[in-house]
Structure formats: C-alpha cells, structure tokens
Amino acid sequence: MESNPSPIRNSSGDHAADPRPLRRTPLRLARSGATFIGVSVVSGVLLAGLALPVAGGIGLTAKSTAEGFDDIPDDFKTPPLTQATQIFDAKGGLIAKVYERDRTVLSADQMSPYMRHAQVDIEDARFYEHGAVDLKGVLRALSKNAESGTAAQGASTLTQQYVKNVNVEKAGDNKGAVLEAQRKTLGRKIQELKIAIKLEEDLPKDQILTNYLNITYYGNGAYGVEAASQRYFSKDNKDLTIAEAATLAGLVQNPSQYDPKLHPQAAQKRRDTVIDKMLENRHITADQAKEAKAAPLGLKYKEPQNGCITAKAGMGFFCDYVRNVVKQDPAFGKSAEDRKKLWNTGGLNIHTTLDPDKQAAAQNAVSSNVAVTDTVSAAASMVEPGTGKILAMAQTRPYGLVQEKNQTVVNLNVDTAMGGGNGFQPGSTFKPVVAAAALEAGLPPVQEYSTPNKIEYPTMKTCEGTWRNEARPRTMVPNESASEKGTYQLKEAMARSVNTYFVLMEQEIGLCAVKQMANKLGITTKASGKPLEEVPAMALGVEEMSPLTMAGVYATFAAEGTHCDPIAITKITTVDGKDVPVPAGHCERAFSETTAQEMNTVLNGVTKDGGTGSALHLEDNRQIAGKTGTSDHKRAAWFDGYTPQLATAVWLGGPAGGVEMRNITINGEPHTEVFGADGPGPIWRDAMNGALRGTPKQSLPMADIPDPVSKPDPSTTGSTTGSTDAPSTTPSGSQH
C-alpha cells in the first residue's frame, strides 16, 4: 500500500498548501446575498445554452427563481442512501448480502486521500474555490463550445452533480421518477442550482465531497467508492494506490465507455488523464505520477454477489424467508410500503436464528437421501422447543431460477404467504392434534374404542353447527390394512396409526375442539392461507400444511405444552450501529403439562416395537417421540419427531403434490410404496443424528399410561408398516 501523498515543495522550498483551505474568493462570496438571483438566473440561462435546446419562450423571473429557496429537503444534506444488507446466521457467519444497490457508505476518514483528490481534480478542479456555480467554468465552457460549434463541454459543478444524483437516488426503482430526475430542462437545471447554492451555505465542502463519493455510480452495479473499490480491486477504498484511485475517478464521466473490464485501453488512457490532473493540481509529485502511469491496471475484479441466490449450504430459502418477514411483519413498518422501503434502503445487519451446524445436518440429510433429479423432493424444518427459533430449513431442490438444473425459488418448508407453495397433506401426523384436543377435553389417556376396519364418517358437531355425511353413497374411512380392527386404546392406536379410532375420538369431542387445538398449535389456516375446514377428514390430515408449521406443532409437545410462533430474526442493527426493533417472540400455553406428558408417552410409543416408527432410533439411543404420516394416494409422506432440545418435521413428495409414490425410484433405490417410516423417516433420523451429535441427552417428561388389558388378536393384526394413510376418499358433506 502506498503512503499518503507527500507534501509538495514550491521553487523556494516551502511546502505548497493543499487547495482546500483557500480563503473565500470574490466569486464564492458572490453566491450569497443580493447577488443570488442574478447568479442563478445567469447560470441557468448559460447552462441552458451550453447543454440544452434554446429556452425559447420560457419565462424566467426573479420571483419564480427564488420561490421555494428556503425549503430545501433535509434529504439533500444527508440522503437516505441505499446500501447492502447483510444476513448472518446464529454464529455470526454471513448467509448472504442483499441489496437494491451495492453500496457501503464511508466517512471522509475512511476514504483514500488519493480518491478524494482524484475525483475533484478530474471532475471539478476548482471545487474548493468557487461556490455552487463556477462562473469562470461557465464562461470557459461557453467559449469552447462556441469555438467548436457544439455543446460538448458542460459546466456543472461537483455540487450540482451531487444534487442531480440525489434526485436519481430518491427516485429509487420508479423508472418514471428516474427519467424525470434526469431530464435536461431549464426548469430542472434551475431547481438543481437553487438546491446546490443552499447546500453550499449549509454544508462544508468536505462533506459535500464525501456525500458525492458515496452516491456516485461507478459502473458494474457499484454505487459509491467503497463498492467500486471492492468490485474492481477487491480491497477497501482507504487502501487504494494512486493508479487505482485514478482509474475509479475516471469512470464517473462514462462508466460504460471507460469500463476497465471491457475496455482496458480506454480505461488506462482515462486513468492517465486523471493522474495528469492530480499532478497539475499538485496533489502528487512528478515521480508519483510517473510511477502510477507505468503501473498496469491491476484489476482484481469481483463479480457482484447479490441476493439469497448467493447463500451457501442450502441457506437461500431461509434467506428468502427472512426477506418475507421484514416485508410482512408490522414490527418493521405500519404499511407494506414502509416495510418495502426499509428493505430496499438496506444498510441493515440482520442476525438470525439459523444454526449453521444444524442447517448442515438437515441439508446433508435431505440431499443424501433424495437426488436433486428425482421426481420427488424433500424438505426439513428444525425448530427449538420453548422459543420457536428456526434452526434449520433445508430442501433437495437448490435455490435458483434455472429449471434445467432443477432449481426453484419456491420454499417448500413454508406457507404460500412466506414464499412457499400450497403445502402438502400431513396425513397421520395430524392425529396428535386430535389426541391433544381429546386429552384437554377430559378424555383419559386409556380412552378405548371398538374400531371396525371401515366406517362411515359419523355426524359431528362443529363450532357453528353440525357436519352430516350427506354424500350418496356415504363417504367411508378405511384403515390401511384389512386386518386392522378390534378394540384399541390411545397408545396403541397412535403407534399403529389406526384411522377409524381417531375419527371416533373426533366424533366424541367434536370438530370445534380439534380446530381450536389446531389454532393453539399454530395452525390457523391451510398453507395456502385458506381457512381450515371443519370436516371429519381433518383428523387424518387432508388439509395442506407446511413442514415449518408441523415442526412448530411437535415443538409444542417437546416444550410441555407451550407453543411459540416461529422466529427467524433475533437482532437488527443499521450500519451506524443503531438498533432496529424486531418482533418479539410470542409463546403461549396450548395445553396443560399433564396433557404434554401424556402426549410424549403416546408419541414415544410410535418409535418403539410395534409402532410405525420403530426403526428410527438415533445413534446414541436418546429418547425420541414422533409420528409417521402418509397422505391420500401416497402423494406425500412425513415423519415429525422431537427430543426435548429439537423438533424436526420432514416431508417427502412431488414439489407440486402430484406424484404418487408407488413403484418409484428415489436416490437410486426402488420403492413399491412409500410410507412415512421408510421415506422421510431415514431423512429425519440422519438430520437429528447430525444436529444432536455431541449434545447432552435429555429425557422427555412422561406419564404413566398402562398398556391395554385386552388387545386385538395378533393373528389378525397384520403388518403395521404402512398404517399411516389418510382415507382414499376425501369426504364431502354439508355443515349446518
């Protein structure tokens, strides 16, 4: 790195002074007081003649020119510049950098002195001598344009250029407003001139220069000198050499024409012109100029890295979820427009809940069990019980827009409103919701029903009336296996996933109790945003949910009945260190600790001998609980399970929900049929093993629930492997 510019000695040996401290000249003094009107009118007319069509019949009076002079918006003094936002994981690692405009705002002392000198010398060498209007420059440009017969040379000062850039910045992504801000009209020039004059009264020259260097566009998506330094030289602006600073300063006049990546010869010629100007204005010595001009361009170009698509380790979908949280949560602004402005303005450091180790475990699990080219996909959400923190969000299809590479921007873990699809039928993983509602309603954990293999959906009470099975023929609900019939209690019915048992339980407590329990567990709508329907098949999981929602349900069981809304953001600060309020976590008791203990016991039984999830033991044999689920026609399969520290929901199926998982090959392995235990189950096991490895074992609070005295005849029980299906027919009927 070069040292700061050496002091330059004049012929007598004295140090030459930097031009900035020069006293106010008569020209600068002329910008204030009674001469303001004359200066603004004359310069406005001259500018019109130099760079614009003839003004013609436009009337220009002292009154109209001065009108509004005292109403200069504060935005021009401290413009709200769009900057890059950085999103971090829970350990401080960068997930992604997102921005509307790539910019990092610097203070004057964070900028290279070479950069400041170079930009002034090439754009407005007399910046520190004149006021907002450089009459000498105007006359010189007028003379040169008259000699050449063109309007090739302009006379805008650096302050005037800055005002124009602020107007463009304020226009944002509004194309019409941008065009208006760039219109070369006499009225526009006069307005910019008035603001420039007022700014020079209110701000020091050094601050105007600093603002200018932060707002100016340097090509290739780089706004401001820091982004430009990183883009072209992969270094901080304060570390630039003379040659590098001159290269950047030369870009401002025409970033495309002097693009050093595309037009290196033109860029180098322009750079050398800037170096000559720096020497002419005594900001570098002759030796420094010679050395700088001899240097190669020395580009270390860094491609723009913007957006969630740049996130690694499958974190792009979580990154996109964070964006949706900021744009939708009222904590970040009362209106959608306010929240959009906060996001687009950027300059935020967003700290999130995502645990990089658990994310890696989840991503490895889905990727190693399902190939990206398979017709089905898998998604997994991890939630911390008792806090609602989202610890991982993984899926097999990578985040992106290239369909040929099986990429997608649809987050299969979340609801439609947060960037997901319409969700998937959770199948029998919804049965614990019915059981929790029943236990809270006072039914005992040894509740017993005589369960036929197939029954008609019975009449049921709803929150507002009665559901009746009025279809002809009557809508039926079967069990998975013809041999599944007999007298069951809750523990065994859950372990074997007996459909008819839970329909009878639902009839006893009523559909309203099930819906209310679902609401308490965070299921307030379907994944699509449509209302939950109070129909008997609700118990069997026919209403589409997202993995994140189901992970929240099972986290409630792990947290002894306390449900917490999902949280993705823990802290936000601005680039200058100010805190931005974030939504507080919201936790509420969904059911009693007694019910939670009973549910833990019941769901632990699913993972023991005789249960549909008995093959899903973790490598350290720690205590687990969970539920398998397979939807209608095998279009979705699930395993949702938990330990005291972690709840994970895994879904497997067609991304659009239309793939029947029969006679299918997944990750090179053929499957006659896919069920919750043998499809998503191994993914859940691998994810939990990776996420919990090395953490202390903890026990779930359990209840003492005796086994049933009488059981179905084992000779007629049949296989239980696939007893997780929802009914083959979705019921219809009227509600009264």
Side-chain angles (χ1 to χ4, degrees):
M1 178 180 123
E2 292 190 44
S3 60
N4 287 344
S6 303
I8 303 169
R9 300 181 183 274
N10 59 25
S11 58
S12 64
D14 296 324
H15 289 292
D18 188 288
R20 287 181 293 182
L22 292 177
R23 65 185 183 278
R24 292 164 68 93
T25 65
L27 278 174
R28 190 171 186 190
L29 292 172
R31 69 185 176 86
S32 59
T35 59
F36 160 64
I37 300 298
V39 172
S40 62
V41 172
V42 170
S43 59
V45 173
L46 287 173
L47 287 168
L50 291 170
L52 304 169
V54 177
I58 296 178
L60 192 63
T61 67
K63 180 179 179 182
S64 64
T65 304
E67 190 175 304
F69 174 73
D70 293 325
D71 299 323
I72 304 302
D74 287 339
D75 283 355
F76 286 94
K77 299 177 185 178
T78 310
L81 300 178
T82 56
Q83 300 185 65
T85 283
Q86 298 185 100
I87 303 175
F88 300 96
D89 64 34
K91 292 188 175 181
L94 182 66
I95 293 175
K97 182 179 177 183
V98 298
Y99 51 79
E100 293 297 313
R101 291 183 176 176
D102 188 9
R103 175 189 284 117
T104 301
V105 174
L106 301 180
S107 58
D109 60 359
Q110 293 174 313
M111 295 177 180
S112 164
Y114 296 135
M115 187 75 236
R116 296 175 71 85
H117 290 316
Q119 201 69 74
V120 170
D121 291 342
I122 193 63
E123 291 293 319
D124 187 359
R126 298 181 62 255
F127 174 66
Y128 284 96
E129 299 175 51
H130 60 65
V133 182
D134 182 9
L135 291 180
K136 184 176 179 180
V138 169
L139 294 172
R140 182 179 62 251
L142 180 62
S143 173
K144 290 193 174 183
N145 289 344
E147 289 174 5
S148 65
T150 68
Q153 183 163 345
S156 291
T157 64
L158 189 146
T159 305
Q160 290 171 262
Q161 293 177 46
Y162 166 68
V163 171
K164 181 178 180 179
N165 283 339
V166 172
N167 281 325
V168 172
E169 181 75 18
K170 289 169 69 177
D173 56 3
N174 186 324
K175 293 181 180 180
V178 171
L179 290 174
E180 178 62 26
Q182 294 175 329
R183 284 180 61 198
K184 294 183 178 181
T185 64
L186 180 57
R188 171 66 61 186
K189 285 290 184 182
I190 293 295
Q191 181 66 16
E192 289 176 358
L193 182 58
K194 289 192 296 182
I195 295 172
I197 292 172
K198 181 63 175 173
L199 273 177
E200 293 234 353
E201 288 184 350
D202 293 347
L203 292 182
K205 284 280 193 178
D206 276 349
Q207 187 58 53
I208 293 173
L209 175 60
T210 299
N211 289 0
Y212 176 84
L213 291 170
N214 278 320
I215 201 171
T216 299
Y217 183 58
Y218 288 87
N220 285 294
Y223 289 83
V225 292
E226 179 64 13
S229 302
Q230 295 293 343
R231 180 75 73 254
Y232 296 107
F233 298 110
S234 298
K235 63 168 62 173
D236 293 338
N237 184 261
K238 63 182 177 60
D239 297 329
L240 293 181
T241 64
I242 292 171
E244 290 165 348
T247 299
L248 297 186
L251 283 169
V252 172
Q253 185 183 82
N254 193 322
S256 299
Q257 181 178 338
Y258 299 124
D259 183 340
K261 188 168 178 281
L262 298 178
H263 309 294
Q265 291 182 336
Q268 186 159 336
K269 184 177 180 181
R270 176 68 173 168
R271 179 201 70 177
D272 292 349
T273 299
V274 176
I275 293 170
D276 288 339
K277 286 289 185 180
M278 295 176 74
L279 176 62
E280 178 185 328
N281 287 285
R282 301 189 301 170
H283 287 129
I284 56 175
T285 65
D287 287 343
Q288 287 175 315
K290 181 178 179 181
E291 182 182 352
K293 291 173 75 171
L297 278 178
L299 292 186
K300 291 184 179 179
Y301 186 81
K302 187 188 298 182
E303 289 288 347
Q305 296 291 307
N306 180 26
C308 295
I309 200 168
T310 64
K312 303 296 189 293
M315 296 182 185
F317 296 101
F318 179 80
C319 170
D320 194 63
Y321 181 83
V322 169
R323 177 182 65 85
N324 278 297
V325 170
V326 174
K327 287 191 171 184
Q328 294 184 37
D329 197 302
F332 298 110
K334 292 182 179 179
S335 68
E337 191 61 34
D338 290 340
R339 298 189 291 272
K340 179 182 178 183
K341 182 178 180 181
L342 174 67
W343 180 262
N344 290 349
T345 300
L348 306 174
N349 292 317
I350 302 179
H351 300 271
T352 73
T353 59
L354 196 75
D355 183 312
D357 298 327
K358 290 179 175 56
Q359 174 66 26
Q363 190 61 48
N364 289 339
V366 296
S367 299
S368 61
N369 285 278
V370 181
V372 70
T373 54
D374 286 342
T375 55
V376 295
S377 187
S381 287
M382 290 182 172
V383 171
E384 183 177 74
T387 67
K389 290 181 179 179
I390 303 170
L391 303 179
M393 192 178 279
Q395 66 185 59
T396 51
R397 301 288 169 98
Y399 187 88
L401 297 169
V402 184
Q403 291 185 355
E404 292 77 11
K405 295 182 178 179
N406 296 290
Q407 294 177 350
T408 181
V409 292
V410 178
N411 187 348
L412 300 175
N413 276 288
V414 301
D415 292 352
T416 305
M418 300 303 289
N422 290 327
F424 312 96
Q425 290 185 345
S428 294
T429 61
F430 195 88
K431 287 173 181 172
V433 178
V434 179
L439 293 173
E440 279 292 282
L443 269 63
V446 292
Q447 178 66 35
E448 189 172 275
Y449 296 107
S450 177
T451 54
N453 174 257
K454 181 187 294 187
I455 60 172
E456 294 180 358
Y457 277 107
T459 299
M460 297 188 188
K461 292 290 184 182
T462 68
C463 292
E464 297 180 355
T466 305
W467 183 92
R468 292 183 175 86
N469 191 345
E470 296 181 345
R472 295 294 183 273
R474 304 283 189 190
T475 308
M476 305 290 292
V477 53
N479 290 327
E480 175 67 19
S481 169
S483 59
E484 282 183 351
K485 55 186 177 180
T487 301
Y488 293 94
Q489 291 184 5
L490 176 59
K491 204 157 65 166
E492 188 177 16
M494 187 72 77
R496 296 178 181 274
S497 199
V498 181
N499 291 337
T500 53
Y501 177 93
F502 289 95
V503 171
L504 294 172
M505 175 173 274
E506 187 180 43
Q507 179 192 26
E508 182 161 353
I509 62 174
L511 289 170
C512 189
V514 177
K515 180 181 179 182
Q516 289 173 345
M517 178 55 69
N519 291 167
K520 291 177 181 179
L521 292 169
I523 306 174
T524 54
T525 66
K526 299 180 186 180
S528 63
K530 294 179 180 179
L532 289 176
E533 297 177 61
E534 290 182 73
V535 293
M538 175 190 291
L540 308 179
V542 298
E543 302 190 62
E544 293 83 1
M545 307 295 162
S546 65
L548 180 59
T549 295
M550 295 308 294
V553 170
Y554 282 75
T556 309
F557 298 132
E560 299 187 62
T562 297
H563 174 75
C564 298
D565 293 338
I567 293 178
I569 299 171
T570 57
K571 183 179 181 180
I572 298 180
T573 59
T574 61
V575 288
D576 54 0
K578 295 179 181 178
D579 287 334
V580 175
V582 299
H586 177 73
C587 296
E588 209 171 274
R589 181 156 292 282
F591 46 78
S592 69
E593 290 184 13
T594 299
T595 294
Q597 292 167 8
E598 292 168 347
M599 288 301 304
N600 288 339
T601 305
V602 169
L603 293 174
N604 173 252
V606 174
T607 66
K608 291 189 171 182
D609 290 345
T612 57
S614 59
L616 301 177
H617 296 297
L618 298 186
E619 60 188 11
D620 56 6
N621 290 318
R622 70 176 66 209
Q623 195 175 56
I624 60 174
K627 185 69 186 77
T628 54
T630 310
S631 76
D632 195 18
H633 301 297
K634 307 293 188 293
R635 290 196 177 105
W638 297 71
F639 188 81
D640 303 342
Y642 58 95
T643 68
Q645 308 105 306
L646 184 63
T648 300
V650 176
W651 158 87
L652 174 70
V659 178
E660 291 194 18
M661 292 185 289
R662 290 188 172 97
N663 299 315
I664 190 172
T665 298
I666 301 175
N667 198 36
E669 294 187 11
H671 294 261
T672 303
E673 290 183 289
V674 173
F675 297 98
D678 58 11
I683 299 174
W684 181 90
R685 179 186 58 212
D686 292 350
M688 292 291 280
N689 277 332
L692 294 172
R693 193 170 290 132
T695 63
K697 289 185 182 181
Q698 295 181 14
S699 297
L700 293 163
M702 308 276 274
D704 183 15
I705 304 176
D707 289 329
V709 175
S710 59
K711 297 182 179 180
D713 183 351
S715 66
T716 62
T717 299
S719 172
T720 62
T721 303
S723 54
T724 55
D725 269 7
S728 60
T729 305
T730 300
S732 61
S734 59
Q735 298 182 52
H736 303 286

